[in-house]
PDB file of all heavy atoms in Angstrom:
ATOM      1  N   VAL A1168     -23.940  11.476  -3.947  1.00 92.00           N
ATOM      2  CA  VAL A1168     -22.618  11.044  -4.417  1.00 92.00           C
ATOM      3  C   VAL A1168     -22.761   9.806  -5.282  1.00 92.00           C
ATOM      4  O   VAL A1168     -23.444   8.844  -4.911  1.00 92.00           O
ATOM      5  CB  VAL A1168     -21.690  10.739  -3.215  1.00 92.00           C
ATOM      6  CG1 VAL A1168     -20.361  10.166  -3.685  1.00 92.00           C
ATOM      7  CG2 VAL A1168     -21.467  11.985  -2.391  1.00 92.00           C
ATOM      8  N   ARG A1169     -22.101   9.822  -6.444  1.00 93.00           N
ATOM      9  CA  ARG A1169     -22.087   8.634  -7.294  1.00 93.00           C
ATOM     10  C   ARG A1169     -20.800   7.833  -7.079  1.00 93.00           C
ATOM     11  O   ARG A1169     -20.815   6.610  -6.984  1.00 93.00           O
ATOM     12  CB  ARG A1169     -22.217   9.030  -8.774  1.00 93.00           C
ATOM     13  CG  ARG A1169     -23.485   9.812  -9.098  1.00 93.00           C
ATOM     14  CD  ARG A1169     -24.733   8.976  -8.877  1.00 93.00           C
ATOM     15  NE  ARG A1169     -24.781   7.808  -9.750  1.00 93.00           N
ATOM     16  CZ  ARG A1169     -25.290   7.825 -10.983  1.00 93.00           C
ATOM     17  NH1 ARG A1169     -25.808   8.950 -11.478  1.00 93.00           N
ATOM     18  NH2 ARG A1169     -25.314   6.737 -11.721  1.00 93.00           N
ATOM     19  N   TYR A1170     -19.661   8.554  -6.993  1.00 93.00           N
ATOM     20  CA  TYR A1170     -18.357   7.905  -6.802  1.00 93.00           C
ATOM     21  C   TYR A1170     -17.473   8.826  -5.976  1.00 93.00           C
ATOM     22  O   TYR A1170     -17.622  10.051  -5.995  1.00 93.00           O
ATOM     23  CB  TYR A1170     -17.674   7.618  -8.150  1.00 93.00           C
ATOM     24  CG  TYR A1170     -18.441   6.657  -9.009  1.00 93.00           C
ATOM     25  CD1 TYR A1170     -19.404   7.128  -9.905  1.00 93.00           C
ATOM     26  CD2 TYR A1170     -18.238   5.287  -8.916  1.00 93.00           C
ATOM     27  CE1 TYR A1170     -20.134   6.254 -10.684  1.00 93.00           C
ATOM     28  CE2 TYR A1170     -18.961   4.394  -9.694  1.00 93.00           C
ATOM     29  CZ  TYR A1170     -19.912   4.892 -10.574  1.00 93.00           C
ATOM     30  OH  TYR A1170     -20.647   4.013 -11.339  1.00 93.00           O
ATOM     31  N   MET A1171     -16.553   8.215  -5.218  1.00 91.00           N
ATOM     32  CA  MET A1171     -15.583   8.964  -4.437  1.00 91.00           C
ATOM     33  C   MET A1171     -14.181   8.544  -4.853  1.00 91.00           C
ATOM     34  O   MET A1171     -13.886   7.359  -4.980  1.00 91.00           O
ATOM     35  CB  MET A1171     -15.768   8.707  -2.941  1.00 91.00           C
ATOM     36  CG  MET A1171     -14.857   9.564  -2.035  1.00 91.00           C
ATOM     37  SD  MET A1171     -13.184   8.904  -1.796  1.00 91.00           S
ATOM     38  CE  MET A1171     -13.498   7.617  -0.604  1.00 91.00           C
ATOM     39  N   GLY A1172     -13.305   9.525  -5.054  1.00 86.00           N
ATOM     40  CA  GLY A1172     -11.906   9.246  -5.342  1.00 86.00           C
ATOM     41  C   GLY A1172     -11.024   9.961  -4.343  1.00 86.00           C
ATOM     42  O   GLY A1172     -11.211  11.153  -4.080  1.00 86.00           O
ATOM     43  N   GLN A1173     -10.064   9.245  -3.745  1.00 77.00           N
ATOM     44  CA  GLN A1173      -9.120   9.886  -2.835  1.00 77.00           C
ATOM     45  C   GLN A1173      -8.067  10.621  -3.647  1.00 77.00           C
ATOM     46  O   GLN A1173      -7.530  10.103  -4.613  1.00 77.00           O
ATOM     47  CB  GLN A1173      -8.465   8.847  -1.929  1.00 77.00           C
ATOM     48  CG  GLN A1173      -9.406   8.324  -0.872  1.00 77.00           C
ATOM     49  CD  GLN A1173      -8.690   7.441   0.124  1.00 77.00           C
ATOM     50  OE1 GLN A1173      -7.559   7.041  -0.101  1.00 77.00           O
ATOM     51  NE2 GLN A1173      -9.342   7.136   1.229  1.00 77.00           N
ATOM     52  N   VAL A1174      -7.786  11.857  -3.216  1.00 74.00           N
ATOM     53  CA  VAL A1174      -6.766  12.683  -3.848  1.00 74.00           C
ATOM     54  C   VAL A1174      -5.771  13.088  -2.767  1.00 74.00           C
ATOM     55  O   VAL A1174      -6.033  12.879  -1.578  1.00 74.00           O
ATOM     56  CB  VAL A1174      -7.407  13.929  -4.508  1.00 74.00           C
ATOM     57  CG1 VAL A1174      -8.351  13.522  -5.619  1.00 74.00           C
ATOM     58  CG2 VAL A1174      -8.136  14.781  -3.482  1.00 74.00           C
ATOM     59  N   PRO A1175      -4.612  13.641  -3.136  1.00 66.00           N
ATOM     60  CA  PRO A1175      -3.625  13.992  -2.107  1.00 66.00           C
ATOM     61  C   PRO A1175      -4.216  14.875  -1.018  1.00 66.00           C
ATOM     62  O   PRO A1175      -4.644  15.988  -1.261  1.00 66.00           O
ATOM     63  CB  PRO A1175      -2.544  14.726  -2.911  1.00 66.00           C
ATOM     64  CG  PRO A1175      -2.642  14.138  -4.275  1.00 66.00           C
ATOM     65  CD  PRO A1175      -4.105  13.893  -4.492  1.00 66.00           C
ATOM     66  N   GLY A1176      -4.261  14.335   0.208  1.00 74.00           N
ATOM     67  CA  GLY A1176      -4.722  15.097   1.346  1.00 74.00           C
ATOM     68  C   GLY A1176      -6.208  15.364   1.370  1.00 74.00           C
ATOM     69  O   GLY A1176      -6.661  16.289   2.033  1.00 74.00           O
ATOM     70  N   GLY A1177      -7.004  14.546   0.684  1.00 80.00           N
ATOM     71  CA  GLY A1177      -8.437  14.795   0.687  1.00 80.00           C
ATOM     72  C   GLY A1177      -9.191  13.820  -0.186  1.00 80.00           C
ATOM     73  O   GLY A1177      -8.821  12.656  -0.303  1.00 80.00           O
ATOM     74  N   ALA A1178     -10.262  14.310  -0.801  1.00 85.00           N
ATOM     75  CA  ALA A1178     -11.097  13.431  -1.615  1.00 85.00           C
ATOM     76  C   ALA A1178     -11.873  14.258  -2.627  1.00 85.00           C
ATOM     77  O   ALA A1178     -12.019  15.481  -2.496  1.00 85.00           O
ATOM     78  CB  ALA A1178     -12.068  12.637  -0.741  1.00 85.00           C
ATOM     79  N   MET A1179     -12.371  13.566  -3.635  1.00 87.00           N
ATOM     80  CA  MET A1179     -13.240  14.180  -4.638  1.00 87.00           C
ATOM     81  C   MET A1179     -14.503  13.336  -4.734  1.00 87.00           C
ATOM     82  O   MET A1179     -14.428  12.115  -4.903  1.00 87.00           O
ATOM     83  CB  MET A1179     -12.541  14.235  -5.989  1.00 87.00           C
ATOM     84  CG  MET A1179     -13.410  14.782  -7.094  1.00 87.00           C
ATOM     85  SD  MET A1179     -12.545  14.715  -8.659  1.00 87.00           S
ATOM     86  CE  MET A1179     -13.789  15.457  -9.719  1.00 87.00           C
TER      87      MET A1179
END
Side-chain angles (χ1 to χ4, degrees):
V1168 175
R1169 301 295 298 273
Y1170 297 90
M1171 185 276 282
Q1173 287 188 347
V1174 297
M1179 177 184 182

